[in-house]
Amino acid sequence: MEKFLKNIFLYFLTVGLLLLAYFWLGAYVAEIAYGLNTRKQILISFSNADSRQYNKMFLGNSRVYRGINPDKIDDHTYNFAHDNDTYNQCYYKLQHVLANGKKIDTLFLGADYFQFSIKSDTRNYIYDYLFDAAYYLDYSDSYWEEFLCNCQQVFFNNQTLLLKSVARIVKHENTKGYIKDNGQYVFDSKASPNDKVKRKTDILDIQREYYERIIDLCHENNIQVTVFTMPVRDGEMESYTKEDINRFHQVVTTPLSSRDSYVDMTYLEEFRNYKDYTDITHLNSKAADRFTKYFYKRIQNKE
């Protein structure tokens, strides 16, 4: 019996050590291939959000995270967006900066046609520890259940990243991403003219509610809101019907006050060339500079 228990212990110890090695290897190889891993990106983003002084802030998903360079506006603007952020994450980020004493007077909130259709949990293994405790309750009533889900997500992330990273290294694709002090993430890979993606267009109640909570929280704190869309390539626009787009515009504009604004820049001709993109979705850093300057001039009615 004693020998049996010893063997069981050694078995689980070996499996545990192999899993730890696998997690470490996935993250390590991903940094070699891509640059900063997701966890480090988010921690740096929060650290800069807490330490920098700014009165204007961008929130949104990866299109904003990569496509807005606050340096092209002024020294008091911060990009607090991130990949896969939907409106529940945006709400808790806004809550976080206000709780830390930031005096925000303008929020630029990115809006995507598919953004209301996603309840993203791919970053919860980090966000659960950075946001208010109420955040994870939208995903699970049990802390331990949420913890196990996060472990599964990390395992999946590392498995996927390990395979993709090895492929990039073998192909000698050397582009690496980095995050700037102003919050923008830069990863200048190259798009293809044939890029396509299929998007969902559902309006989830939870995302509509969090979107409205963001607007309400801004109004309570005398923050002016500018909601905006960014240029979208044809290979993505094929996912959306006219009815989808009209419904999206209605959901986005309904909570806004007369002081707020909505700027739709989906079809800008200046950003139709695939060479301005890193993939089907994201502007490269040079195009991001151009777009940020165009966007800020437009909302100031200077163009």
Side-chain angles (χ1 to χ4, degrees), residues 102-182:
K102 300 301 179 185
K103 305 298 182 183
I104 307 297
D105 57 46
T106 305
L107 174 67
F108 303 118
L109 182 60
D112 252 315
Y113 295 124
F114 66 88
Q115 202 166 1
F116 286 97
S117 70
I118 300 172
K119 185 183 175 186
S120 175
D121 60 0
T122 57
R123 273 71 177 161
N124 282 4
Y125 66 97
I126 308 170
Y127 283 155
D128 280 347
Y129 304 100
L130 293 171
F131 289 148
D132 183 277
Y135 171 77
Y136 83 84
L137 295 177
D138 286 324
Y139 296 88
S140 174
D141 293 332
S142 165
Y143 174 82
W144 290 110
E145 182 180 332
E146 177 71 359
F147 175 77
L148 291 174
C149 288
N150 289 340
C151 289
Q152 291 174 351
Q153 184 65 54
V154 171
F155 184 82
F156 175 78
N157 288 351
N158 283 20
Q159 182 180 20
T160 305
L161 273 176
L162 183 57
L163 296 174
K164 289 182 177 180
S165 300
V166 170
R168 279 183 60 84
I169 292 171
V170 169
K171 293 178 182 179
H172 301 288
E173 296 177 359
N174 298 319
T175 303
K176 292 187 179 182
Y178 61 94
I179 187 169
K180 299 169 69 173
D181 289 344
N182 63 23

Coordinates of all heavy atoms in Angstrom, one line a residue, residues 102-182:
K102 N -7.8 59.4 -11.2 CA -7.6 60.1 -12.5 C -8.7 61.0 -12.8 O -9.9 60.6 -12.6 CB -7.4 59.0 -13.6 CG -6.2 58.1 -13.4 CD -4.9 58.8 -13.3 CE -3.8 57.8 -13.1 NZ -2.5 58.5 -12.8
K103 N -8.4 62.2 -13.2 CA -9.4 63.2 -13.6 C -9.6 63.2 -15.1 O -9.0 64.0 -15.8 CB -9.0 64.6 -13.1 CG -8.6 64.7 -11.6 CD -9.9 64.3 -10.7 CE -9.5 64.5 -9.3 NZ -10.7 64.1 -8.4
I104 N -10.5 62.3 -15.5 CA -10.8 62.1 -16.9 C -11.9 63.1 -17.3 O -12.9 63.1 -16.7 CB -11.2 60.7 -17.3 CG1 -10.2 59.7 -16.8 CG2 -11.4 60.5 -18.8 CD1 -8.8 59.8 -17.4
D105 N -11.6 63.9 -18.4 CA -12.7 64.7 -18.9 C -13.2 64.3 -20.3 O -14.3 64.7 -20.7 CB -12.3 66.2 -18.9 CG -11.0 66.5 -19.8 OD1 -11.0 65.9 -20.9 OD2 -10.1 67.2 -19.3
T106 N -12.5 63.4 -20.9 CA -12.9 62.9 -22.3 C -12.6 61.4 -22.4 O -11.5 61.0 -22.2 CB -12.2 63.7 -23.4 OG1 -12.3 65.1 -23.2 CG2 -12.7 63.3 -24.8
L107 N -13.6 60.7 -22.8 CA -13.4 59.3 -23.1 C -13.7 59.0 -24.6 O -14.8 59.4 -25.1 CB -14.4 58.4 -22.3 CG -14.3 56.9 -22.6 CD1 -13.0 56.3 -22.3 CD2 -15.5 56.1 -22.0
F108 N -12.7 58.4 -25.3 CA -12.9 58.0 -26.6 C -13.1 56.5 -26.6 O -12.2 55.7 -26.3 CB -11.6 58.3 -27.5 CG -11.3 59.8 -27.5 CD1 -10.0 60.2 -27.0 CD2 -12.1 60.7 -28.0 CE1 -9.7 61.5 -27.0 CE2 -11.8 62.1 -28.0 CZ -10.6 62.5 -27.5
L109 N -14.4 56.1 -26.9 CA -14.7 54.7 -26.8 C -14.9 54.1 -28.2 O -15.8 54.4 -28.9 CB -16.1 54.6 -26.0 CG -16.6 53.2 -25.7 CD1 -15.6 52.4 -24.9 CD2 -18.0 53.3 -25.0
G110 N -14.0 53.1 -28.4 CA -14.1 52.4 -29.7 C -15.3 51.5 -29.8 O -15.8 50.9 -28.8
A111 N -15.9 51.4 -31.0 CA -17.1 50.5 -31.2 C -16.9 49.7 -32.5 O -16.5 50.3 -33.5 CB -18.3 51.4 -31.3
D112 N -17.1 48.4 -32.4 CA -17.0 47.5 -33.5 C -18.3 46.8 -33.7 O -19.0 46.5 -32.8 CB -15.9 46.5 -33.2 CG -14.7 46.7 -34.1 OD1 -14.8 47.0 -35.3 OD2 -13.6 46.6 -33.5
Y113 N -18.6 46.6 -35.0 CA -19.9 45.9 -35.3 C -20.1 44.6 -34.7 O -21.2 44.2 -34.4 CB -20.0 45.8 -36.9 CG -20.1 47.1 -37.6 CD1 -19.2 47.4 -38.6 CD2 -21.1 48.0 -37.3 CE1 -19.2 48.6 -39.3 CE2 -21.1 49.2 -38.0 CZ -20.2 49.5 -39.0 OH -20.2 50.7 -39.7
F114 N -19.0 43.9 -34.4 CA -19.1 42.6 -33.7 C -18.9 42.6 -32.2 O -19.1 41.6 -31.5 CB -18.1 41.6 -34.3 CG -16.6 42.0 -34.0 CD1 -16.0 41.6 -32.9 CD2 -15.9 42.8 -34.9 CE1 -14.7 41.9 -32.6 CE2 -14.6 43.2 -34.7 CZ -14.0 42.7 -33.5
Q115 N -18.6 43.8 -31.7 CA -18.2 43.8 -30.3 C -19.3 43.5 -29.3 O -19.0 43.0 -28.2 CB -17.6 45.2 -30.0 CG -16.6 45.3 -28.8 CD -15.8 46.6 -28.8 OE1 -16.0 47.4 -29.6 NE2 -14.9 46.7 -27.8
F116 N -20.5 43.8 -29.6 CA -21.6 43.4 -28.7 C -21.9 41.9 -28.7 O -22.7 41.5 -27.9 CB -22.9 44.2 -29.1 CG -22.8 45.7 -28.8 CD1 -22.5 46.6 -29.7 CD2 -23.2 46.1 -27.5 CE1 -22.4 48.0 -29.4 CE2 -23.1 47.5 -27.2 CZ -22.8 48.4 -28.2
S117 N -21.3 41.2 -29.6 CA -21.7 39.8 -29.7 C -20.7 38.9 -29.0 O -20.9 37.6 -29.0 CB -21.6 39.3 -31.2 OG -20.3 39.4 -31.7
I118 N -19.7 39.5 -28.3 CA -18.7 38.7 -27.6 C -18.7 38.9 -26.1 O -18.8 40.1 -25.7 CB -17.3 39.0 -28.1 CG1 -17.2 38.8 -29.6 CG2 -16.2 38.3 -27.4 CD1 -16.0 39.3 -30.3
K119 N -18.6 37.9 -25.4 CA -18.4 37.9 -23.9 C -17.0 37.3 -23.7 O -16.9 36.1 -23.4 CB -19.5 37.2 -23.1 CG -19.4 37.4 -21.6 CD -20.5 36.6 -20.9 CE -20.3 36.6 -19.4 NZ -21.3 35.7 -18.7
S120 N -16.0 38.1 -23.9 CA -14.6 37.6 -23.9 C -14.1 37.2 -22.5 O -14.3 37.9 -21.5 CB -13.7 38.6 -24.5 OG -12.3 38.2 -24.4
D121 N -13.5 36.0 -22.4 CA -12.9 35.5 -21.2 C -11.5 35.1 -21.3 O -10.9 34.6 -20.4 CB -13.7 34.3 -20.6 CG -13.7 33.1 -21.5 OD1 -13.1 33.2 -22.6 OD2 -14.4 32.1 -21.2
T122 N -10.9 35.4 -22.5 CA -9.5 35.0 -22.8 C -8.5 35.6 -22.0 O -7.3 35.1 -21.9 CB -9.2 35.2 -24.3 OG1 -9.4 36.6 -24.6 CG2 -10.2 34.4 -25.2
R123 N -8.8 36.7 -21.3 CA -7.8 37.4 -20.4 C -8.2 37.4 -19.0 O -7.6 38.1 -18.1 CB -7.6 38.9 -20.9 CG -6.6 39.2 -22.0 CD -7.0 38.7 -23.3 NE -6.0 39.0 -24.3 CZ -5.9 38.3 -25.5 NH1 -6.8 37.4 -25.7 NH2 -5.0 38.7 -26.4
N124 N -9.2 36.6 -18.6 CA -9.7 36.6 -17.3 C -8.7 36.1 -16.3 O -8.7 36.4 -15.1 CB -11.0 35.7 -17.2 CG -12.2 36.5 -17.6 OD1 -12.1 37.6 -18.1 ND2 -13.4 35.9 -17.5
Y125 N -7.7 35.3 -16.7 CA -6.7 34.8 -15.8 C -5.8 35.9 -15.3 O -5.1 35.8 -14.3 CB -5.8 33.7 -16.5 CG -5.0 34.2 -17.6 CD1 -3.6 34.5 -17.5 CD2 -5.5 34.3 -18.9 CE1 -2.9 35.0 -18.6 CE2 -4.8 34.7 -20.0 CZ -3.5 35.0 -19.8 OH -2.7 35.4 -20.9
I126 N -5.9 37.1 -15.9 CA -5.2 38.3 -15.5 C -6.3 39.3 -14.9 O -6.1 39.8 -13.8 CB -4.4 39.0 -16.6 CG1 -3.5 38.0 -17.3 CG2 -3.6 40.2 -16.1 CD1 -2.9 38.5 -18.5
Y127 N -7.3 39.5 -15.7 CA -8.3 40.5 -15.3 C -9.0 40.2 -13.9 O -9.4 41.1 -13.2 CB -9.4 40.7 -16.4 CG -8.9 41.5 -17.6 CD1 -9.5 41.3 -18.8 CD2 -7.9 42.5 -17.5 CE1 -9.2 42.1 -19.9 CE2 -7.5 43.2 -18.6 CZ -8.2 43.0 -19.8 OH -7.8 43.7 -20.9
D128 N -9.2 39.0 -13.6 CA -9.9 38.6 -12.4 C -9.1 39.2 -11.2 O -9.7 39.4 -10.1 CB -9.9 37.1 -12.2 CG -11.1 36.5 -13.0 OD1 -12.0 37.2 -13.5 OD2 -11.1 35.2 -13.2
Y129 N -7.8 39.4 -11.3 CA -7.0 39.9 -10.2 C -6.7 41.4 -10.3 O -6.2 42.0 -9.3 CB -5.7 39.1 -10.2 CG -5.9 37.6 -10.1 CD1 -5.8 36.8 -11.2 CD2 -6.2 37.0 -8.9 CE1 -6.0 35.5 -11.2 CE2 -6.5 35.7 -8.8 CZ -6.3 34.9 -10.0 OH -6.6 33.5 -9.9
L130 N -7.1 42.0 -11.4 CA -6.9 43.4 -11.5 C -8.2 44.3 -11.4 O -8.1 45.4 -11.0 CB -6.3 43.7 -12.9 CG -4.9 43.2 -13.2 CD1 -4.5 43.3 -14.6 CD2 -3.9 43.9 -12.3
F131 N -9.3 43.6 -11.7 CA -10.6 44.4 -11.6 C -11.3 44.2 -10.2 O -10.9 43.3 -9.4 CB -11.5 43.9 -12.7 CG -11.2 44.3 -14.1 CD1 -11.4 43.5 -15.2 CD2 -10.5 45.5 -14.3 CE1 -11.1 43.8 -16.5 CE2 -10.2 45.9 -15.6 CZ -10.5 45.1 -16.7
D132 N -12.3 44.9 -10.0 CA -13.2 44.7 -8.9 C -13.7 43.3 -8.9 O -13.9 42.7 -9.9 CB -14.4 45.7 -9.0 CG -15.4 45.7 -7.9 OD1 -16.2 44.8 -7.9 OD2 -15.3 46.5 -7.0
A133 N -13.9 42.8 -7.6 CA -14.3 41.4 -7.5 C -15.6 41.0 -8.2 O -15.9 39.9 -8.5 CB -14.4 41.0 -6.0
A134 N -16.4 42.0 -8.5 CA -17.7 41.8 -9.1 C -17.5 41.3 -10.6 O -18.4 40.7 -11.2 CB -18.6 43.0 -9.1
Y135 N -16.3 41.6 -11.1 CA -16.1 41.3 -12.5 C -16.3 39.8 -12.9 O -17.0 39.4 -13.8 CB -14.6 41.7 -12.9 CG -14.2 41.2 -14.3 CD1 -14.7 41.8 -15.5 CD2 -13.4 40.1 -14.4 CE1 -14.3 41.4 -16.7 CE2 -13.0 39.7 -15.7 CZ -13.5 40.3 -16.8 OH -13.1 39.8 -18.1
Y136 N -15.7 38.9 -12.1 CA -15.7 37.5 -12.4 C -17.1 36.9 -12.2 O -17.4 35.8 -12.7 CB -14.6 36.7 -11.7 CG -14.9 36.3 -10.3 CD1 -15.7 35.1 -10.0 CD2 -14.5 37.0 -9.2 CE1 -15.9 34.7 -8.7 CE2 -14.7 36.6 -7.9 CZ -15.5 35.4 -7.7 OH -15.8 35.0 -6.4
L137 N -18.0 37.6 -11.4 CA -19.3 37.0 -11.2 C -20.1 37.0 -12.5 O -21.1 36.3 -12.5 CB -20.0 37.8 -10.1 CG -19.4 37.8 -8.7 CD1 -20.1 38.7 -7.7 CD2 -19.4 36.3 -8.2
D138 N -19.8 37.8 -13.5 CA -20.5 37.7 -14.8 C -20.1 36.4 -15.5 O -20.8 36.1 -16.5 CB -20.1 38.9 -15.6 CG -20.7 40.2 -15.2 OD1 -21.9 40.1 -14.7 OD2 -20.1 41.2 -15.3
Y139 N -19.1 35.7 -15.0 CA -18.7 34.5 -15.7 C -19.0 33.2 -14.8 O -19.2 32.2 -15.4 CB -17.2 34.5 -16.0 CG -16.8 35.6 -17.0 CD1 -16.5 36.9 -16.6 CD2 -16.8 35.3 -18.3 CE1 -16.2 37.9 -17.5 CE2 -16.5 36.3 -19.3 CZ -16.2 37.6 -18.8 OH -15.9 38.6 -19.7
S140 N -18.9 33.4 -13.5 CA -19.1 32.2 -12.7 C -19.5 32.7 -11.2 O -19.0 33.7 -10.8 CB -17.9 31.4 -12.6 OG -18.0 30.3 -11.7
D141 N -20.4 32.0 -10.6 CA -20.7 32.3 -9.2 C -19.7 31.7 -8.2 O -19.6 32.1 -7.1 CB -22.1 31.7 -8.8 CG -23.2 32.4 -9.6 OD1 -23.1 33.5 -9.9 OD2 -24.2 31.7 -9.8
S142 N -18.8 30.9 -8.7 CA -17.8 30.2 -7.9 C -16.4 30.7 -8.2 O -16.0 30.6 -9.4 CB -17.9 28.7 -8.0 OG -16.8 28.0 -7.5
Y143 N -15.7 31.1 -7.2 CA -14.3 31.5 -7.5 C -13.5 30.4 -8.0 O -12.7 30.5 -8.9 CB -13.7 32.1 -6.2 CG -12.2 32.4 -6.3 CD1 -11.8 33.6 -6.9 CD2 -11.2 31.4 -5.9 CE1 -10.4 33.9 -7.0 CE2 -9.9 31.7 -6.1 CZ -9.5 32.9 -6.6 OH -8.2 33.2 -6.7
W144 N -13.7 29.2 -7.4 CA -12.9 28.0 -7.8 C -13.2 27.6 -9.2 O -12.3 27.1 -10.0 CB -13.0 26.9 -6.8 CG -12.4 27.2 -5.5 CD1 -13.0 27.5 -4.3 CD2 -10.9 27.4 -5.3 NE1 -12.0 27.8 -3.4 CE2 -10.8 27.8 -3.9 CE3 -9.8 27.2 -6.1 CZ2 -9.5 28.0 -3.4 CZ3 -8.6 27.4 -5.5 CH2 -8.4 27.8 -4.2
E145 N -14.5 27.6 -9.6 CA -14.8 27.3 -10.9 C -14.2 28.3 -11.9 O -13.7 27.9 -13.0 CB -16.4 27.4 -11.1 CG -16.9 27.0 -12.5 CD -18.4 27.0 -12.6 OE1 -19.1 26.8 -11.5 OE2 -18.9 27.3 -13.7
E146 N -14.2 29.5 -11.6 CA -13.6 30.5 -12.4 C -12.1 30.3 -12.5 O -11.4 30.4 -13.6 CB -13.8 31.9 -11.9 CG -13.2 33.1 -12.7 CD -13.8 33.3 -14.0 OE1 -14.7 32.6 -14.5 OE2 -13.3 34.2 -14.7
F147 N -11.5 29.9 -11.4 CA -10.0 29.6 -11.3 C -9.7 28.5 -12.3 O -8.7 28.5 -13.0 CB -9.6 29.3 -9.9 CG -8.2 28.9 -9.8 CD1 -7.1 29.8 -9.8 CD2 -7.9 27.5 -9.6 CE1 -5.8 29.4 -9.7 CE2 -6.5 27.1 -9.5 CZ -5.5 28.0 -9.5
L148 N -10.5 27.4 -12.3 CA -10.2 26.3 -13.1 C -10.4 26.6 -14.6 O -9.6 26.2 -15.5 CB -11.2 25.1 -12.8 CG -10.9 24.4 -11.4 CD1 -12.0 23.4 -11.1 CD2 -9.5 23.8 -11.4
C149 N -11.4 27.5 -14.9 CA -11.6 27.9 -16.3 C -10.4 28.7 -16.7 O -10.0 28.6 -17.9 CB -12.9 28.8 -16.4 SG -14.4 27.9 -16.2
N150 N -9.8 29.5 -15.8 CA -8.7 30.3 -16.2 C -7.5 29.4 -16.5 O -6.7 29.7 -17.4 CB -8.3 31.3 -15.1 CG -9.3 32.5 -15.0 OD1 -10.1 32.7 -16.0 ND2 -9.4 33.1 -13.9
C151 N -7.3 28.4 -15.7 CA -6.2 27.4 -15.9 C -6.4 26.8 -17.3 O -5.4 26.6 -18.0 CB -6.2 26.4 -14.8 SG -5.7 27.0 -13.2
Q152 N -7.6 26.4 -17.6 CA -7.8 25.8 -18.9 C -7.5 26.8 -20.0 O -6.9 26.4 -21.1 CB -9.3 25.3 -19.0 CG -9.6 24.2 -18.1 CD -11.1 23.8 -18.1 OE1 -11.9 24.6 -18.7 NE2 -11.5 22.7 -17.5
Q153 N -7.8 28.0 -19.8 CA -7.6 29.1 -20.8 C -6.1 29.3 -21.0 O -5.6 29.4 -22.1 CB -8.2 30.4 -20.4 CG -8.1 31.5 -21.5 CD -8.8 31.2 -22.8 OE1 -10.0 30.9 -22.8 NE2 -8.1 31.2 -23.9
V154 N -5.3 29.3 -19.9 CA -3.9 29.5 -20.0 C -3.3 28.3 -20.7 O -2.4 28.4 -21.6 CB -3.3 29.6 -18.6 CG1 -1.7 29.5 -18.7 CG2 -3.7 30.9 -18.0
F155 N -3.8 27.1 -20.4 CA -3.3 25.9 -21.1 C -3.5 25.9 -22.6 O -2.6 25.7 -23.4 CB -3.9 24.6 -20.5 CG -3.4 23.3 -21.1 CD1 -2.2 22.8 -20.6 CD2 -4.1 22.7 -22.1 CE1 -1.8 21.6 -21.1 CE2 -3.6 21.5 -22.6 CZ -2.5 21.0 -22.2
F156 N -4.7 26.3 -23.0 CA -5.1 26.5 -24.4 C -4.2 27.5 -25.1 O -3.7 27.4 -26.2 CB -6.6 26.8 -24.5 CG -7.0 27.1 -25.9 CD1 -7.2 26.0 -26.8 CD2 -7.2 28.4 -26.4 CE1 -7.6 26.3 -28.2 CE2 -7.5 28.6 -27.7 CZ -7.7 27.5 -28.6
N157 N -4.1 28.7 -24.4 CA -3.3 29.8 -25.0 C -1.9 29.4 -25.2 O -1.3 29.6 -26.3 CB -3.3 31.0 -24.0 CG -4.6 31.7 -23.9 OD1 -5.5 31.5 -24.7 ND2 -4.7 32.6 -23.0
N158 N -1.3 28.7 -24.3 CA 0.1 28.3 -24.4 C 0.3 27.2 -25.5 O 1.2 27.2 -26.2 CB 0.7 27.8 -23.1 CG 1.0 28.9 -22.1 OD1 0.5 30.0 -22.3 ND2 1.8 28.7 -21.1
Q159 N -0.7 26.3 -25.5 CA -0.7 25.3 -26.6 C -0.7 25.9 -28.0 O 0.1 25.5 -28.8 CB -1.8 24.3 -26.4 CG -1.8 23.1 -27.4 CD -3.0 22.2 -27.1 OE1 -4.0 22.6 -26.5 NE2 -2.9 21.0 -27.6
T160 N -1.7 26.8 -28.1 CA -1.8 27.5 -29.4 C -0.6 28.3 -29.8 O -0.1 28.3 -30.9 CB -3.1 28.3 -29.5 OG1 -4.2 27.5 -29.1 CG2 -3.3 28.9 -30.8
L161 N -0.2 29.1 -28.8 CA 1.0 30.0 -29.0 C 2.3 29.2 -29.3 O 3.1 29.6 -30.1 CB 1.2 30.9 -27.8 CG 0.4 32.2 -27.8 CD1 0.6 32.9 -26.4 CD2 0.8 33.1 -28.9
L162 N 2.4 28.1 -28.6 CA 3.6 27.3 -28.8 C 3.7 26.8 -30.3 O 4.8 27.0 -30.9 CB 3.7 26.1 -27.9 CG 4.9 25.2 -27.9 CD1 6.2 26.0 -27.6 CD2 4.7 24.0 -26.9
L163 N 2.6 26.4 -30.8 CA 2.6 25.9 -32.2 C 2.8 27.0 -33.2 O 3.7 26.9 -34.1 CB 1.3 25.2 -32.5 CG 1.0 23.9 -31.7 CD1 -0.4 23.4 -31.9 CD2 2.1 22.8 -32.0
K164 N 2.1 28.2 -32.9 CA 2.3 29.3 -33.8 C 3.7 29.9 -33.7 O 4.3 30.3 -34.7 CB 1.2 30.4 -33.5 CG -0.2 30.0 -33.8 CD -1.1 31.2 -33.5 CE -2.5 30.9 -33.9 NZ -3.5 32.0 -33.6
S165 N 4.2 29.9 -32.5 CA 5.5 30.5 -32.3 C 6.6 29.7 -33.0 O 7.5 30.3 -33.6 CB 5.8 30.7 -30.8 OG 4.9 31.5 -30.2
V166 N 6.6 28.4 -32.9 CA 7.6 27.6 -33.5 C 7.5 27.8 -35.0 O 8.6 27.9 -35.7 CB 7.3 26.1 -33.1 CG1 8.2 25.2 -34.0 CG2 7.6 25.9 -31.7
A167 N 6.3 27.9 -35.6 CA 6.1 28.1 -37.0 C 6.8 29.4 -37.4 O 7.4 29.5 -38.5 CB 4.7 28.1 -37.4
R168 N 6.6 30.5 -36.6 CA 7.1 31.8 -36.9 C 8.7 31.7 -36.9 O 9.3 32.3 -37.8 CB 6.6 32.9 -36.0 CG 5.3 33.4 -36.3 CD 4.9 34.5 -35.3 NE 5.8 35.6 -35.3 CZ 5.8 36.6 -36.2 NH1 4.8 36.7 -37.1 NH2 6.7 37.6 -36.1
I169 N 9.2 31.1 -35.9 CA 10.7 31.0 -35.8 C 11.3 30.2 -37.0 O 12.3 30.6 -37.5 CB 11.0 30.3 -34.4 CG1 10.6 31.2 -33.3 CG2 12.5 30.0 -34.4 CD1 10.7 30.6 -31.9
V170 N 10.6 29.1 -37.3 CA 11.1 28.3 -38.5 C 11.1 29.1 -39.8 O 12.0 29.0 -40.6 CB 10.2 27.0 -38.6 CG1 10.5 26.3 -39.9 CG2 10.5 26.1 -37.4
K171 N 10.0 30.0 -39.9 CA 9.9 30.8 -41.1 C 10.7 32.1 -41.1 O 10.7 32.9 -42.0 CB 8.4 31.2 -41.3 CG 7.5 30.0 -41.7 CD 6.1 30.5 -41.8 CE 5.1 29.3 -42.0 NZ 3.7 29.8 -42.1
H172 N 11.4 32.3 -40.0 CA 12.3 33.5 -39.8 C 11.5 34.8 -39.9 O 11.9 35.8 -40.4 CB 13.4 33.5 -40.8 CG 14.3 32.3 -40.8 ND1 15.2 32.1 -39.7 CD2 14.4 31.2 -41.6 CE1 15.9 31.0 -39.9 NE2 15.4 30.4 -41.1
E173 N 10.3 34.7 -39.3 CA 9.4 35.9 -39.2 C 9.8 36.6 -37.9 O 9.5 36.2 -36.8 CB 8.0 35.6 -39.2 CG 7.5 34.9 -40.5 CD 6.1 34.5 -40.5 OE1 5.4 34.7 -39.4 OE2 5.6 34.0 -41.5
N174 N 10.5 37.8 -38.1 CA 11.2 38.4 -37.0 C 10.5 39.6 -36.3 O 11.0 40.2 -35.4 CB 12.6 38.8 -37.4 CG 13.5 37.6 -37.8 OD1 13.4 36.6 -37.2 ND2 14.2 37.8 -38.9
T175 N 9.3 39.9 -36.9 CA 8.6 41.1 -36.3 C 8.1 40.8 -34.9 O 7.5 39.8 -34.6 CB 7.3 41.4 -37.2 OG1 7.7 41.6 -38.5 CG2 6.6 42.6 -36.6
K176 N 8.5 41.7 -34.0 CA 8.1 41.5 -32.6 C 7.3 42.7 -32.1 O 7.5 43.9 -32.5 CB 9.3 41.4 -31.7 CG 10.1 40.1 -31.9 CD 11.2 39.9 -30.9 CE 11.9 38.6 -31.2 NZ 13.0 38.4 -30.2
G177 N 6.3 42.5 -31.2 CA 5.5 43.5 -30.7 C 6.0 44.2 -29.5 O 6.8 43.6 -28.7
Y178 N 5.6 45.4 -29.2 CA 6.0 46.1 -28.0 C 4.9 47.1 -27.7 O 4.1 47.5 -28.5 CB 7.3 46.8 -28.2 CG 7.4 47.9 -29.2 CD1 7.1 49.2 -28.9 CD2 7.7 47.5 -30.6 CE1 7.2 50.2 -29.9 CE2 7.7 48.5 -31.6 CZ 7.4 49.8 -31.2 OH 7.5 50.8 -32.2
I179 N 4.8 47.5 -26.4 CA 3.9 48.4 -25.9 C 4.5 49.7 -25.6 O 5.6 49.7 -24.9 CB 3.0 47.8 -24.7 CG1 1.9 48.8 -24.4 CG2 3.9 47.5 -23.5 CD1 0.9 48.2 -23.4
K180 N 4.0 50.8 -26.0 CA 4.6 52.1 -25.8 C 4.1 52.7 -24.4 O 3.0 52.2 -23.9 CB 4.2 53.1 -26.9 CG 4.7 52.7 -28.3 CD 4.1 53.4 -29.4 CE 4.6 54.9 -29.4 NZ 4.1 55.6 -30.7
D181 N 4.7 53.7 -23.9 CA 4.3 54.2 -22.6 C 2.9 54.8 -22.7 O 2.3 54.9 -21.6 CB 5.4 55.3 -22.2 CG 6.7 54.7 -21.7 OD1 6.7 53.5 -21.5 OD2 7.7 55.5 -21.6
N182 N 2.5 55.3 -23.9 CA 1.2 55.9 -24.0 C 0.1 54.8 -24.1 O -1.1 55.2 -24.3 CB 1.2 56.9 -25.2 CG 1.4 56.2 -26.5 OD1 1.2 55.0 -26.7 ND2 1.9 56.9 -27.5

